[in-house]
Amino acid sequence: MLRLLETEPMHGYQIVSSIEERTAGAWKPSPGAIYPTLSQLEDEGLITIERENGRKVATLTTTGREYIETALADAPDPFAGFDGGSAERGHLRETLRELHEVTRRVARTGDPEQTAAVDTILGDAIKQVYLLLAGVDRTPPAAADTVTESADPDDEQ
């Protein structure tokens, strides 16, 4: 939020919209995340909040600007990397939305056996994603290349 307010004073809805726009829709914070944070930043003296045209507008204070220049000087741009690849992220979001929807359906209407099976499937998926992030080879082992000998000694003749 401080990075956004560095460019111009904003009200809460503008902050939500700016974050959504700068993250190519990957994150749209809720008002429940924005307004308490603004209050905290105000309590810390980093911003001031004043009413303008019926809206509470947040503005960086001198202390807030100094904080950005010192404490955040080496911090990476929180919005970097959202300009490319948004189609892939959009596809992943859609996949997660569908997964959430079908999981809720099983939770509402599935029998205990189905619910347990989905729990196992999702647990395995979580493990696989962690292995992927850790760089672990998740390729299933290839079939043995060796020829299995017959258990019947007469077959060897």
Side-chain angles (χ1 to χ4, degrees), residues 55-153:
R55 294 182 179 229
K56 293 181 178 180
V57 176
T59 305
L60 274 179
T61 62
T62 303
T63 304
R65 290 192 186 283
E66 290 170 358
Y67 180 81
I68 291 171
E69 290 173 10
T70 56
L72 299 181
D74 296 330
D77 179 355
F79 304 111
F82 286 103
D83 50 349
S86 61
E88 291 84 5
R89 279 190 296 280
H91 185 270
L92 182 58
R93 273 194 311 278
E94 180 61 22
T95 301
L96 286 171
R97 187 194 65 71
E98 288 179 34
L99 179 62
H100 182 254
E101 184 179 307
V102 72
T103 303
R104 287 178 51 124
R105 182 173 297 151
V106 170
R108 283 191 312 269
T109 63
D111 61 39
E113 189 175 292
Q114 290 172 322
T115 302
V118 169
D119 188 48
T120 299
I121 291 167
L122 294 178
D124 290 343
I126 290 167
K127 289 175 194 170
Q128 289 297 315
V129 172
Y130 274 120
L131 289 171
L132 174 76
L133 290 172
V136 175
D137 182 11
R138 301 169 7 269
T139 307
D145 292 330
T146 60
V147 177
T148 311
E149 292 185 26
S150 171
D152 185 355

